[in-house]
Amino acid sequence: MEELLARLCRAAAHEGACAEALLENGLRLLAYPLEGRLLVVVGWPAASGRHVDGETLLRRRGEDIARYGAWLPAQFNDGGWYLVLRAAGNEAPDADQLTAAEELLL
C-alpha cells in the first residue's frame, strides 16, 4: 500500500489532478494536489461494507495526538469514514503514518 500511495502522490503532483485507487479489500486511497501540497486520503467508502465508528475513531485520535494527530478524520457524503493528511510537495506518508491511519480506521 505504501508504494501504491507514493505513486498516486507523484501522479497527482505531476498531473495537477486527483489520483485514486481502490484496494481489493475496499480501502480507498486518494491524493489531491492543493496549492503546492497534497491532501492524502485513506478510508472506507460506505459501499465497502466496513463500519467505522466515528466516535471511537475520534476518541482514539484524541487519546494519542502525538501518533494520530496528523490524520484529520472526515465523513464523506457517501457515509464512509476517511482520514486526511496534509503532505508537503508530492511526499507520500511513510510506513509509520500509514500504520497509524490503519489503526484509527479499525
Side-chain angles (χ1 to χ4, degrees):
M1 181 170 70
E2 185 178 358
E3 178 55 36
L4 174 58
L5 195 51
R7 282 184 290 178
L8 292 174
C9 288
R10 286 190 301 271
H14 178 71
E15 297 171 17
C18 184
E20 76 174 290
L22 188 63
L23 302 181
E24 284 184 16
N25 64 2
L27 190 68
R28 187 174 183 195
L29 309 174
L30 297 151
Y32 183 82
L34 184 66
E35 300 174 6
R37 306 179 105 186
L38 283 176
L39 295 181
V40 177
V41 183
V42 177
W44 297 108
S48 72
R50 295 283 184 125
H51 174 73
V52 175
D53 181 40
E55 185 177 324
T56 302
L57 184 152
L58 293 170
R59 184 175 15 83
R60 277 195 309 222
R61 182 179 178 270
E63 289 171 353
D64 194 351
I65 289 291
R67 178 157 175 75
Y68 304 122
W71 290 103
L72 305 172
Q75 186 174 29
F76 282 19
N77 287 341
D78 72 353
W81 277 93
Y82 296 83
L83 297 170
V84 180
L85 177 75
R86 293 183 199 120
N90 63 351
E91 293 184 26
D94 62 29
D96 288 338
Q97 289 172 312
L98 287 175
T99 299
E102 290 178 288
E103 290 170 4
L104 278 175
L105 290 168
L106 291 177

